[in-house]
Amino acid sequence: MDMKKFAVHDLIPAVIIFVMLFGVIRLNGITKTQLINRTGQTFETGVVVQILEDNIQEDGTRVGQQVVVVHMTSGEKQGEDLETTSSAGYLFGAACTVGMKVIVLQSLAGETVITSIYSMDRTGVIIGFAVLYLLALCVIGGKKGIRGALGLVFTFVAIIYIYLPLVYLGHSPFWSAVLICAVTTAVTFYLISGITKKTLCATAGTLAGVFSAGLTATIFSKMSGITGWNVSDIESLLTLHETNGILVGGLLFSGLLISSLGAVMDVAMSISSAMQELCDQRPDITRMELMGAGMRVGRDMMGTDSNTLILAFAGSSVSMLLMDYAYNLPFLQIINSNNIGIAVMQGLSGSFGVILSVPATVVLAATIYKYD
């Protein structure tokens, strides 16, 4: 009996992980097409040690460039002090102060060195906050938190090392996103609950919700004329389409699936867990009673989780909405712009996924838990 339990709970996941690792290694053994010549160009770290010429004005604004001395802490010029410039723009450069850690764009051609400040060095801050979040998740969540953290790391790795290579190799972004959603959902729920009926119900309910979001987005796209070719950075993406055959038109929909995954997973697991608890407390509960209880739990979650997605997409469009408001653009112009159409499609399609995952999870859970 113990050997069978070992085979199910340890051997099968180990085989799956081995197969996935082998596939990831094969998948990432690709040679990328060089789009930009970066010969001799590197990004290095340094510390500002002196401001030779500042560009701050009396009113506090910055015009032109700063001239600073940077002590290089990496690269071929490590240990040397280099005089360089820093732009005053909000997108590039940095308002340098003595002691600031910066990223230096360095170009070497023989003995000639051309440098400029790319940005403030935020590497430590970004990694530090990510580690702090994972620590908080593990400390407060205990074992469940540790497993959740592992699931989060796995999801990030899967997107970087599975989804992006698949899309780069010309595979459908939509179906690549479906694969990522399926794999990450199964792994995350396995880490949290193991191989149980609850995991099966939550995984199936999540996939049903994600498919619903994708189907809704596809229908919206056909009826509204909004496609992945209407995104703001399409000109840059066209370069990838022409050089590598990347199906950039599907990126919009694949991104929608991935962005809605978290909310749908939350709904599916919460409903599956609640229904499992009901079955444990009342073994004599009928299938219809269980479905009714599951729907009541799901209805309580619909409003908040739907708002989560809509507010997330609305929040990412605040700058655009403020510009429309400030310029007092006509309603017909705003509602028919590509950017608004995309934001509406993302918010509503993701919310459709959340809503439709509720009955799907309830029916699947009632069927599996009360299977005779």
Side-chain angles (χ1 to χ4, degrees):
M1 185 69 180
D2 292 337
M3 291 300 295
K4 290 182 179 179
K5 184 177 181 181
F6 170 80
V8 173
H9 290 279
D10 295 285
L11 183 59
I12 294 177
V15 171
I16 294 175
I17 291 173
F18 176 79
V19 172
M20 287 188 62
L21 285 175
F22 179 76
V24 168
I25 293 173
R26 288 287 302 273
L27 193 59
N28 286 270
I30 57 178
T31 302
K32 296 180 182 178
T33 303
Q34 184 175 359
L35 301 175
I36 301 176
N37 185 7
R38 296 189 181 276
T39 304
Q41 186 182 88
T42 58
F43 288 85
E44 308 295 347
T45 59
V47 179
V48 177
V49 294
Q50 188 178 359
I51 307 293
L52 298 178
E53 182 180 331
D54 210 345
N55 61 347
I56 192 167
Q57 307 300 302
E58 293 182 358
D59 60 357
T61 61
R62 293 183 177 274
V63 177
Q65 296 180 327
Q66 288 178 305
V67 180
V68 301
V69 177
V70 177
H71 181 75
M72 302 300 297
T73 56
S74 71
E76 293 188 22
K77 298 297 180 179
Q78 181 177 355
E80 298 184 24
D81 291 344
L82 301 181
E83 182 179 317
T84 186
T85 59
S86 178
S87 171
Y90 290 104
L91 297 178
F92 304 100
C96 295
T97 57
V98 174
M100 177 185 286
K101 295 181 179 180
V102 293
I103 301 297
V104 179
L105 175 56
Q106 180 177 276
S107 298
L108 298 176
E111 296 298 323
T112 304
V113 182
I114 301 175
T115 60
S116 63
I117 303 296
Y118 174 73
S119 71
M120 176 183 176
D121 187 358
R122 307 182 183 97
T123 307
V125 175
I126 293 174
I127 295 176
F129 267 82
V131 171
L132 185 63
Y133 166 73
L134 292 176
L135 285 175
L137 182 61
C138 294
V139 171
I140 297 175
K143 291 183 178 179
K144 292 287 186 180
I146 294 173
R147 293 172 180 175
L150 291 174
L152 179 62
V153 172
F154 177 84
T155 300
F156 178 77
V157 171
I159 291 174
I160 299 298
Y161 293 103
I162 300 178
Y163 171 75
L164 293 181
L166 282 173
V167 174
Y168 186 83
L169 291 172
H171 296 284
S172 167
F174 182 86
W175 290 110
S176 298
V178 170
L179 173 64
I180 289 299
C181 290
V183 171
T184 56
T185 299
V187 170
T188 301
F189 286 159
Y190 166 74
L191 289 171
I192 294 174
S193 302
I195 302 178
T196 62
K197 291 182 178 180
K198 180 170 65 176
T199 299
L200 176 61
C201 295
T203 301
T206 299
L207 294 180
V210 170
F211 272 114
S212 299
L215 178 62
T216 305
T218 301
I219 296 172
F220 184 95
S221 172
K222 296 293 184 182
M223 297 181 66
S224 67
I226 295 291
T227 70
W229 298 98
N230 299 122
V231 295
S232 57
D233 53 352
I234 188 60
E235 292 184 2
S236 300
L237 292 172
L238 280 174
T239 303
L240 300 179
H241 175 68
E242 293 171 357
T243 56
N244 293 83
I246 295 176
L247 304 177
V248 298
L251 291 175
L252 176 64
F253 303 102
S254 65
L256 186 149
L257 295 184
I258 295 174
S259 61
S260 64
L261 178 62
V264 177
M265 287 175 66
D266 179 42
V267 170
M269 176 54 83
S270 297
I271 294 174
S272 299
S273 181
M275 294 177 69
Q276 176 71 72
E277 188 67 21
L278 277 172
C279 288
D280 293 340
Q281 297 298 323
R282 282 193 54 196
D284 60 334
I285 190 172
T286 66
R287 181 174 296 173
M288 293 305 297
E289 289 175 333
L290 184 61
M291 288 180 63
M295 285 301 299
R296 286 190 290 274
V297 173
R299 290 191 184 103
D300 288 338
M301 301 186 65
M302 282 183 186
T304 54
D305 282 291
S306 296
N307 283 342
T308 298
L309 283 176
I310 291 178
L311 291 176
F313 286 117
S316 64
S317 306
V318 164
S319 298
M320 176 184 62
L321 293 173
L322 179 60
M323 290 291 291
D324 293 342
Y325 178 81
Y327 281 96
N328 198 26
L329 300 182
F331 171 77
L332 288 178
Q333 180 180 356
I334 295 174
I335 198 67
N336 288 288
S337 67
N338 289 332
N339 290 334
I340 291 296
I342 290 173
V344 170
M345 181 189 73
Q346 290 174 326
L348 292 182
S349 297
S351 296
F352 264 113
V354 169
I355 292 172
L356 296 178
S357 69
V358 171
T361 305
V362 168
V363 172
L364 288 167
T367 302
I368 293 173
Y369 291 157
K370 302 302 294 183
Y371 179 76
D372 297 323

CSV table of all heavy atoms in Angstrom, one decimal, residues 321 324-325 328-341:
chain,number,residue,atom,x,y,z
A,321,LEU,N,-6.7,57.2,-20.2
A,321,LEU,CA,-8.0,57.8,-19.8
A,321,LEU,C,-7.9,59.2,-19.4
A,321,LEU,O,-8.8,60.1,-19.8
A,321,LEU,CB,-8.7,56.9,-18.7
A,321,LEU,CG,-9.1,55.5,-19.0
A,321,LEU,CD1,-9.6,54.8,-17.8
A,321,LEU,CD2,-10.2,55.5,-20.1
A,324,ASP,N,-7.5,61.3,-22.5
A,324,ASP,CA,-8.8,61.5,-23.2
A,324,ASP,C,-9.6,62.5,-22.5
A,324,ASP,O,-10.3,63.4,-23.1
A,324,ASP,CB,-9.5,60.1,-23.3
A,324,ASP,CG,-8.8,59.1,-24.2
A,324,ASP,OD1,-7.9,59.6,-25.0
A,324,ASP,OD2,-9.1,57.9,-24.0
A,325,TYR,N,-9.6,62.5,-21.1
A,325,TYR,CA,-10.4,63.4,-20.4
A,325,TYR,C,-9.9,64.8,-20.5
A,325,TYR,O,-10.7,65.8,-20.7
A,325,TYR,CB,-10.4,62.9,-18.9
A,325,TYR,CG,-11.1,63.9,-18.0
A,325,TYR,CD1,-12.5,63.8,-17.8
A,325,TYR,CD2,-10.5,64.8,-17.2
A,325,TYR,CE1,-13.2,64.6,-17.0
A,325,TYR,CE2,-11.2,65.7,-16.3
A,325,TYR,CZ,-12.5,65.5,-16.2
A,325,TYR,OH,-13.2,66.4,-15.4
A,328,ASN,N,-10.7,66.4,-23.7
A,328,ASN,CA,-12.2,66.5,-23.9
A,328,ASN,C,-12.6,65.8,-25.2
A,328,ASN,O,-13.3,66.4,-26.0
A,328,ASN,CB,-12.6,67.9,-23.8
A,328,ASN,CG,-14.1,68.1,-23.6
A,328,ASN,OD1,-14.7,67.2,-23.0
A,328,ASN,ND2,-14.7,69.1,-24.1
A,329,LEU,N,-12.1,64.6,-25.5
A,329,LEU,CA,-12.4,63.9,-26.7
A,329,LEU,C,-13.9,63.5,-26.8
A,329,LEU,O,-14.5,63.2,-25.7
A,329,LEU,CB,-11.5,62.7,-26.9
A,329,LEU,CG,-10.0,63.0,-26.9
A,329,LEU,CD1,-9.2,61.7,-27.1
A,329,LEU,CD2,-9.6,64.0,-28.0
A,330,PRO,N,-14.5,63.5,-27.9
A,330,PRO,CA,-15.9,63.1,-28.1
A,330,PRO,C,-16.0,61.6,-27.7
A,330,PRO,O,-15.1,60.8,-27.9
A,330,PRO,CB,-16.2,63.3,-29.6
A,330,PRO,CG,-15.2,64.3,-30.0
A,330,PRO,CD,-13.9,64.0,-29.2
A,331,PHE,N,-17.2,61.3,-27.2
A,331,PHE,CA,-17.5,59.9,-26.7
A,331,PHE,C,-17.3,58.9,-27.9
A,331,PHE,O,-16.7,57.9,-27.6
A,331,PHE,CB,-18.9,59.8,-26.2
A,331,PHE,CG,-19.4,58.4,-25.9
A,331,PHE,CD1,-19.0,57.8,-24.8
A,331,PHE,CD2,-20.2,57.7,-26.8
A,331,PHE,CE1,-19.4,56.4,-24.6
A,331,PHE,CE2,-20.6,56.4,-26.6
A,331,PHE,CZ,-20.2,55.8,-25.4
A,332,LEU,N,-17.8,59.2,-29.1
A,332,LEU,CA,-17.6,58.3,-30.2
A,332,LEU,C,-16.2,58.0,-30.5
A,332,LEU,O,-15.8,56.9,-31.0
A,332,LEU,CB,-18.4,58.8,-31.4
A,332,LEU,CG,-19.9,58.7,-31.3
A,332,LEU,CD1,-20.6,59.3,-32.5
A,332,LEU,CD2,-20.4,57.3,-31.1
A,333,GLN,N,-15.4,59.1,-30.4
A,333,GLN,CA,-13.9,58.9,-30.7
A,333,GLN,C,-13.3,58.0,-29.6
A,333,GLN,O,-12.5,57.1,-30.0
A,333,GLN,CB,-13.2,60.2,-30.7
A,333,GLN,CG,-11.7,60.1,-31.0
A,333,GLN,CD,-11.0,61.5,-31.0
A,333,GLN,OE1,-11.7,62.5,-30.9
A,333,GLN,NE2,-9.7,61.5,-31.2
A,334,ILE,N,-13.6,58.2,-28.4
A,334,ILE,CA,-13.0,57.4,-27.3
A,334,ILE,C,-13.5,56.0,-27.4
A,334,ILE,O,-12.6,55.0,-27.3
A,334,ILE,CB,-13.4,58.0,-25.9
A,334,ILE,CG1,-12.8,59.4,-25.7
A,334,ILE,CG2,-12.9,57.1,-24.8
A,334,ILE,CD1,-13.2,60.1,-24.5
A,335,ILE,N,-14.8,55.7,-27.5
A,335,ILE,CA,-15.3,54.4,-27.4
A,335,ILE,C,-14.9,53.5,-28.6
A,335,ILE,O,-14.8,52.3,-28.5
A,335,ILE,CB,-16.8,54.4,-27.3
A,335,ILE,CG1,-17.4,53.0,-26.8
A,335,ILE,CG2,-17.5,54.7,-28.6
A,335,ILE,CD1,-17.0,52.7,-25.4
A,336,ASN,N,-14.5,54.2,-29.7
A,336,ASN,CA,-14.1,53.5,-30.9
A,336,ASN,C,-12.6,53.4,-31.2
A,336,ASN,O,-12.2,53.0,-32.2
A,336,ASN,CB,-14.8,54.1,-32.1
A,336,ASN,CG,-16.3,53.7,-32.2
A,336,ASN,OD1,-16.7,52.6,-32.4
A,336,ASN,ND2,-17.1,54.7,-31.9
A,337,SER,N,-11.8,53.9,-30.2
A,337,SER,CA,-10.4,53.9,-30.4
A,337,SER,C,-9.9,52.5,-30.1
A,337,SER,O,-10.5,51.7,-29.3
A,337,SER,CB,-9.7,54.8,-29.4
A,337,SER,OG,-9.9,54.4,-28.1
A,338,ASN,N,-8.8,52.1,-30.7
A,338,ASN,CA,-8.3,50.7,-30.6
A,338,ASN,C,-7.9,50.4,-29.1
A,338,ASN,O,-8.1,49.3,-28.6
A,338,ASN,CB,-7.1,50.5,-31.5
A,338,ASN,CG,-7.5,50.4,-33.0
A,338,ASN,OD1,-8.6,50.0,-33.3
A,338,ASN,ND2,-6.6,50.8,-33.8
A,339,ASN,N,-7.3,51.4,-28.5
A,339,ASN,CA,-6.8,51.2,-27.1
A,339,ASN,C,-7.9,50.9,-26.1
A,339,ASN,O,-7.8,50.0,-25.3
A,339,ASN,CB,-6.0,52.4,-26.6
A,339,ASN,CG,-4.6,52.5,-27.3
A,339,ASN,OD1,-4.1,51.5,-27.8
A,339,ASN,ND2,-4.1,53.7,-27.4
A,340,ILE,N,-9.0,51.7,-26.3
A,340,ILE,CA,-10.2,51.5,-25.4
A,340,ILE,C,-10.8,50.1,-25.7
A,340,ILE,O,-11.2,49.4,-24.8
A,340,ILE,CB,-11.2,52.6,-25.6
A,340,ILE,CG1,-10.7,53.9,-25.0
A,340,ILE,CG2,-12.5,52.2,-24.9
A,340,ILE,CD1,-10.4,53.9,-23.5
A,341,GLY,N,-10.9,49.8,-27.0
A,341,GLY,CA,-11.5,48.5,-27.4
A,341,GLY,C,-10.7,47.4,-26.8
A,341,GLY,O,-11.3,46.4,-26.3
